[in-house]
Amino acid sequence: MKLKVNDQVKILQGKDRGKTGKVIQVFKKEDKIVVEGLNIMKKHVRARKQGEKGQIIELSAPIDFSNAMLICPKCNKPVRVGFKIDGDNKKRWCRKCQTLID
Ligand SMILES: [Zn+2]
């Protein structure tokens, strides 16, 4: 998985194509991410108690991580990410400006 929580990403596919946002959740097994404020789905919530109103809540649905591209914090562009092995750590780096990304 090349993306982490708090990454800025650009959406490449779907109705939010071209928009950018912050990753707020990562599902490693499913290869999906949730981007803050994007891919909004409306969900109807039924009233649980009598006298209560049902409501519609909006939430960001997960998207496939391959539909998003990391925005490099250094060069501020959507970039392809590479990995460098540093001991036990796999570090990400920007293929454009060569900067290591935390
Ligand atoms: Zn860069």
Side-chain angles (χ1 to χ4, degrees):
M1 181 59 103
K2 291 180 176 178
L3 297 169
K4 296 205 287 194
V5 170
N6 285 330
D7 279 347
Q8 288 290 329
V9 293
K10 182 169 186 154
I11 308 302
L12 307 173
Q13 297 285 333
K15 62 178 180 178
D16 286 321
R17 188 170 58 190
K19 291 186 185 167
T20 58
K22 189 172 87 173
V23 177
I24 49 173
Q25 242 181 315
V26 173
F27 301 100
K28 281 190 181 157
K29 271 188 204 152
E30 292 93 347
D31 278 344
K32 284 180 187 293
I33 56 168
V34 176
V35 182
E36 189 176 39
L38 297 183
N39 202 30
I40 296 291
M41 296 285 176
K42 287 191 176 161
K43 199 176 172 184
H44 294 257
V45 180
R46 278 197 198 164
R48 294 209 188 107
K49 291 180 209 153
Q50 237 183 354
E52 219 177 53
K53 275 187 187 163
Q55 34 176 339
I56 299 168
I57 55 167
E58 294 187 340
L59 42 92
S60 294
I63 59 164
D64 214 89
F65 93 104
S66 61
N67 289 339
M69 217 170 183
L70 179 72
I71 297 176
C72 170
K74 181 93 184 215
C75 59
N76 226 2
K77 290 192 179 108
V79 292
R80 288 182 55 208
V81 177
F83 282 113
K84 270 183 187 156
I85 309 292
D86 178 18
D88 286 341
N89 292 321
K90 254 209 243 171
K91 288 200 171 152
R92 303 183 297 172
W93 61 286
C94 168
R95 287 182 188 269
K96 209 168 241 169
C97 68
Q98 319 285 311
T99 307
L100 282 176
I101 302 164
D102 186 34

